[in-house]
Amino acid sequence: MPIITDAKALQGDLARFRHQLHQEPEIGLDLPRTQEKVLKALDGLPYEITLGESTTSVTAVLRGGAPHGSPAKPAVLLRADMDGLPVQEKTGAEYTSKIDGAMHACGHDLHTAMLAGAATLLAERRHELAGDVVLMFQPGEEGFDGASHMIREGVLDAAGRRVDAAYGMHVFSALEPHGKFCTRPGVMLSASDGLCVTVLGAGGHGSAPHSAKDPVTAAAEMVTALQVMITRQFNMFDPVVLSVGVLQAGTKRNIIPETARIEATVRTFSEESREKMMTSIPALLKGIAAAHGLDVDVEYRAEYPLSVTDVDETNTAEDVIRGLFGEGRHTRFATPLSGSEDFSRVMNEVPSTFIGLSAVPPGADHIAAAFNHSPYATFDDGVLADGAALYAELALSRIATLAARS
């Protein structure tokens, strides 16, 4: 039977599995309940299972049963992230989160369910595979760099040799109409870095600021100066994004505090701009502090690198999407997105691509819908079967192509 038909038959099971995950979101690298659910979903299928040592990751290897002329069988990796976010859910869904202060607000519950569905579809077609498939169920994507942990523990070599290609997928609760698959060759997602600044002054009475060293006014100037720096030092055609999310100081209105705190996220779309930000920001902030007679500690944290998709693997994915779902279900992003992903770690190691999938509810306004990370973000179960079919077909078709060449 066509793989999409078999996937549709799994839709009910996938939705129930997704709801179970959604009701018990876990954050970070330690996801014991999620790991348990994934292992239950894989139980009885012919996978070689390896559990993470530093995280609750799950690596599952399916050995293909089709003949292959070369001793080095092809291998393809499929990845799904499993962690939630520290967000209080406000969607009102029947299967809303039961964990206070935690929510699957970025759709990782859908990714996990889709990859579990692909596991079943691939196991049923094991005899067609002239190579091996590695399933990467990853914790800690949301700021914990779980991909690096899994790479260090050997996920890319889990089949016995380095995988030839890797594919990741991510759902969106806005941006595109329901069911649209989105790709982009080359730079697809920005690099993500963190900026933590402590302005060091001297406290005093609010009525006598001349007798203190006020870190608040200097911090306020720094926030504005950072935005001006972007418009004056960086090329508008190689954009950078800097957003201050934390600005903290003081305990009472008539007390000048000793310190002020700034925290920001920094997004860049080229290594040149990223390296320039790493030097320009500290120089700017230290100059402002010195002008006020203050000191400043500047910590620039390099986090996730650029997500750069392989052109050939992106073309392969696009062919598979069109073959399964037709031309109307696919689009290319005109520009990169300023979100970031630790799947970029995998992209840096092996030819890979990343695919977006709109899970906006049918008929909803995809422009006005709450976006990922919102407590109101809603993801439609209706894309689960399609995502599972795409994961599975990517592995089947890529392995077939690689086997034919060897």
Side-chain angles (χ1 to χ4, degrees):
M1 294 180 67
I3 198 166
I4 191 64
T5 303
D6 285 352
K8 294 293 186 187
L10 296 175
Q11 173 64 30
D13 291 337
L14 297 182
R16 282 187 288 274
F17 182 42
R18 184 250 164 157
H19 294 175
Q20 291 169 6
L21 294 166
H22 192 90
Q23 288 180 315
E24 287 193 286
E26 296 175 291
I27 298 167
L29 298 170
D30 187 25
L31 319 177
R33 294 187 299 273
T34 304
Q35 184 188 61
E36 182 181 358
K37 292 181 179 70
V38 169
L39 292 174
K40 185 176 180 181
L42 297 176
D43 188 40
L45 299 177
Y47 285 84
E48 300 170 8
I49 305 292
T50 304
L51 304 184
E53 297 177 3
S54 60
T55 75
T56 51
S57 64
V58 178
T59 300
V61 180
L62 180 67
R63 303 291 181 184
H68 187 266
S70 170
K73 293 198 300 182
V76 167
L77 180 144
L78 306 173
R79 177 269 204 164
D81 41 10
M82 305 187 294
D83 56 320
L85 283 158
V87 172
Q88 185 66 46
E89 182 163 1
K90 297 180 181 179
T91 63
E94 292 181 6
Y95 49 88
T96 196
S97 172
K98 296 178 179 179
I99 309 301
D100 190 48
M103 176 187 174
H104 270 295
C106 205
H108 296 186
D109 49 337
L110 282 83
H111 305 164
T112 304
M114 291 188 296
L115 191 56
T120 296
L121 296 172
L122 288 166
E124 293 171 347
R125 289 161 174 79
R126 187 180 185 185
H127 62 283
E128 300 177 24
L129 283 167
D132 302 328
V133 182
V134 179
L135 306 184
M136 177 182 178
F137 290 94
Q138 180 211 307
E141 189 278 328
E142 296 289 355
F144 294 87
D145 208 357
S148 286
H149 287 262
M150 293 192 72
I151 290 171
R152 283 195 297 270
E153 293 181 5
V155 67
L156 300 180
D157 304 292
R161 59 182 294 270
R162 182 58 54 109
V163 295
D164 297 283
Y167 302 98
M169 203 180 318
H170 206 298
V171 294
F172 301 113
S173 62
L175 293 183
E176 296 287 339
H178 171 83
K180 193 76 98 172
F181 291 96
C182 312
T183 57
R184 179 176 169 79
V187 177
M188 184 174 184
L189 300 171
S190 70
S192 174
D193 297 323
L195 175 65
C196 297
V197 180
T198 302
V199 185
L200 307 168
H205 200 289
S207 66
H210 60 284
S211 299
K213 292 185 178 180
D214 188 358
V216 176
T217 51
E221 185 176 331
M222 289 174 182
V223 171
T224 303
L226 286 168
Q227 303 303 323
V228 174
M229 179 196 74
I230 289 171
T231 66
R232 294 299 178 265
Q233 295 189 34
F234 289 85
N235 189 331
M236 70 178 71
F237 297 106
D238 182 10
V240 298
V241 177
L242 189 152
S243 296
V244 174
V246 175
L247 183 58
Q248 295 175 336
T251 58
K252 196 172 181 181
R253 62 183 172 83
N254 65 340
I255 298 173
I256 294 174
E258 289 191 347
T259 63
R261 180 81 172 166
I262 301 168
E263 295 184 19
T265 185
V266 183
R267 309 296 171 119
T268 51
F269 295 90
S270 70
E271 287 301 326
E272 293 77 13
S273 287
R274 193 182 195 194
E275 291 174 5
K276 186 175 180 180
M277 288 292 263
M278 291 179 182
T279 57
S280 297
I281 287 176
L284 174 69
L285 300 184
K286 289 176 182 178
I288 293 173
H292 287 268
L294 307 175
D295 292 321
V296 64
D297 288 337
V298 181
E299 182 183 2
Y300 192 103
R301 300 172 182 170
E303 295 173 346
Y304 294 167
L306 286 162
S307 293
V308 183
T309 67
D310 181 86
V311 173
D312 290 339
E313 296 303 337
T314 302
N315 290 336
T316 294
E318 291 172 349
D319 289 342
V320 171
I321 292 167
R322 289 189 288 263
L324 282 176
F325 307 108
E327 291 279 352
R329 291 284 300 278
H330 173 255
T331 189
R332 275 189 173 183
F333 286 127
T335 61
L337 303 181
S338 54
S340 304
E341 253 285 346
D342 70 350
F343 189 66
S344 56
R345 305 291 190 192
V346 177
M347 293 180 178
N348 283 347
E349 297 289 333
V350 297
S352 310
T353 198
F354 201 57
I355 302 158
L357 171 57
S358 176
V360 176
D365 183 351
H366 60 279
I367 303 298
F371 191 51
N372 296 31
H373 288 218
S374 166
Y376 299 98
T378 302
F379 303 87
D380 182 58
D381 290 334
V383 302
L384 291 171
D386 288 352
L390 179 57
Y391 266 135
E393 187 60 29
L394 284 168
L396 287 162
S397 61
R398 192 71 182 102
I399 286 175
T401 300
L402 291 165
R405 292 176 182 171
S406 60

